[in-house]
Amino acid sequence: MPFQAATAIPRRAVTPAAFVRGVVAAYERYGRDPAEALNRGQVAPDLVNSPDGRVTAAQFEALAGHAMRELDDEALGWFSRRLPWGTYGMLCRASITAPTLEVALKRWCRHHRLVTEDVLLDLEIGDETAVVSIREMHDLGLFREFCLVTLFRYVLGFSCWAVDSRIALRAAEFPYPQPGHVSVYPTIFCRAIRFDADRASIVFDKHYLSLPLTRSAADLDNMLEGALRLTVLPYRRDRLLVERVRRLLRNARGRILGAEDVARELALSTRTMHRRLREESTSLRDLKEETKFELAKQELMRGRTPIKRIAEIAGFRNEKSFSRAFRSWTGTSPREFRGRYR
């Protein structure tokens, strides 16, 4: 993917030196010297073999971007043949005209097979989740971790940009032992990580698949000027954040969730959660009230559950406080509402 290297180097270094070694290994495969690429990324030679070394996102962007151009291989030696400069940009162009993310991902998986059959990408859609998985048809050797992690970051980076939304992963699995730099995985994927799995896969809410693609060809041209940034930095805005909060609150069914509990389930800090909800013109308090009302209405319409139990399901401490709140919502008591519905 074409890009422009960042001119400023952020202070926080989280990308493990193991991925830097993956780039160096590509130079070794092609019999080339990585010195200029390391210099472009401001990576000290002694950091390359450091077991716990880290580089910043901007450093890795500059390093990998220069290597892809210099070696003319966007796969950086992973596959049995090179993927020339611009290959993943072509996949983006082939997918950008899709009406929804589901169609775009299906195109991406299908077209990726045209550039290499060493790995095959699949999209599987279940009742609640979508799974993108990678089948390894060729021994990736020393490149295995670097390849699988980067392929998922390519897919996620493009997908998040295309629908202008962070795609929150429910889980990620990898078919190799837990690496020493495992602490970086929750940052680039999610908290629910499993190793020694049968295959590499990422799992997310299937509702993201229905989001429309909103980007134009001109937007794509601009994005491709800095595409690697999308693979090393997580996308921030989550257009399904409000629905994810609603789902958490509905599923609690009587268990009182505080702001810290909800934020923990979303893998966000409490402050970030509140800020992002404000950006969506709502608040956790409003969503809690909305969810309580919806749960109460559903149970009352069923006509069988005792009022006291409905109060518990809706998250109230007692029947009296529930009745008072329900009257403020509807102008009637829970029993009157149930009677009218019948």
Side-chain angles (χ1 to χ4, degrees), residues 148-194:
L148 297 178
V149 167
T150 307
L151 285 177
F152 280 144
R153 290 305 309 168
Y154 281 173
V155 171
L156 279 173
F158 169 75
S159 298
C160 292
W161 171 83
V163 299
D164 189 25
S165 175
R166 176 174 176 261
I167 296 174
L169 297 183
R170 291 193 179 190
E173 297 184 347
F174 297 92
Y176 45 76
Q178 177 175 301
H181 47 270
V182 63
S183 61
V184 76
Y185 275 75
T187 301
I188 56 179
F189 291 109
C190 59
R191 289 188 305 159
I193 302 287
R194 187 167 77 90

Side-chain angles (χ1 to χ4, degrees), residues 56-226:
T56 65
Q59 283 179 285
F60 192 75
E61 179 188 347
L63 166 69
H66 182 82
M68 289 176 183
R69 286 179 293 179
E70 188 171 43
L71 300 175
D72 194 26
D73 184 6
E74 291 194 346
L76 291 174
W78 308 332
F79 304 136
S80 52
R81 72 175 186 87
R82 297 174 193 260
L83 299 192
W85 179 249
T87 297
Y88 281 98
M90 179 188 68
L91 288 180
C92 292
R93 294 189 189 282
S95 303
I96 193 62
T97 56
T100 65
L101 181 60
E102 178 179 347
V103 177
L105 283 176
K106 286 179 177 177
R107 287 184 187 176
W108 185 284
C109 294
R110 184 171 65 253
H111 293 150
H112 198 277
R113 183 175 297 194
L114 299 177
V115 300
T116 180
E117 290 192 345
D118 290 347
V119 296
L120 302 179
L121 278 68
D122 296 300
L123 172 65
E124 303 168 29
I125 305 173
D127 293 338
E128 295 186 358
T129 60
V131 180
V132 176
S133 61
I134 301 174
R135 286 183 283 160
E136 300 170 60
M137 313 304 288
H138 170 80
D139 183 5
L140 298 174
L142 295 174
F143 295 99
R144 192 183 196 193
E145 181 193 10
F146 185 32
C147 171
L148 297 178
V149 167
T150 307
L151 285 177
F152 280 144
R153 290 305 309 168
Y154 281 173
V155 171
L156 279 173
F158 169 75
S159 298
C160 292
W161 171 83
V163 299
D164 189 25
S165 175
R166 176 174 176 261
I167 296 174
L169 297 183
R170 291 193 179 190
E173 297 184 347
F174 297 92
Y176 45 76
Q178 177 175 301
H181 47 270
V182 63
S183 61
V184 76
Y185 275 75
T187 301
I188 56 179
F189 291 109
C190 59
R191 289 188 305 159
I193 302 287
R194 187 167 77 90
F195 296 96
D196 291 316
D198 293 334
R199 59 177 176 171
S201 63
I202 52 174
V203 183
F204 54 92
D205 190 319
K206 79 169 189 178
H207 292 92
Y208 286 106
L209 295 177
S210 63
L211 290 177
L213 271 65
T214 59
R215 307 293 190 171
S216 67
D219 293 332
L220 180 59
D221 289 338
N222 291 332
M223 183 274 281
L224 290 175
E225 290 299 317

Side-chain angles (χ1 to χ4, degrees), residues 21-77:
R21 290 193 287 276
V23 177
V24 171
Y27 277 91
E28 293 173 352
R29 174 177 175 180
Y30 294 122
R32 303 284 295 274
D33 184 355
E36 179 59 23
L38 293 171
N39 182 57
R40 291 293 184 96
Q42 301 179 25
V43 178
D46 59 352
L47 183 142
V48 174
N49 294 313
S50 170
D52 55 358
R54 296 284 191 274
V55 296
T56 65
Q59 283 179 285
F60 192 75
E61 179 188 347
L63 166 69
H66 182 82
M68 289 176 183
R69 286 179 293 179
E70 188 171 43
L71 300 175
D72 194 26
D73 184 6
E74 291 194 346
L76 291 174

Side-chain angles (χ1 to χ4, degrees), residues 271-285:
R271 183 177 181 181
T272 298
M273 177 193 68
H274 285 309
R275 175 174 56 78
R276 292 188 184 174
L277 287 175
R278 282 197 303 273
E279 291 170 356
E280 299 297 327
S281 302
T282 189
S283 68
L284 182 60
R285 180 178 179 179

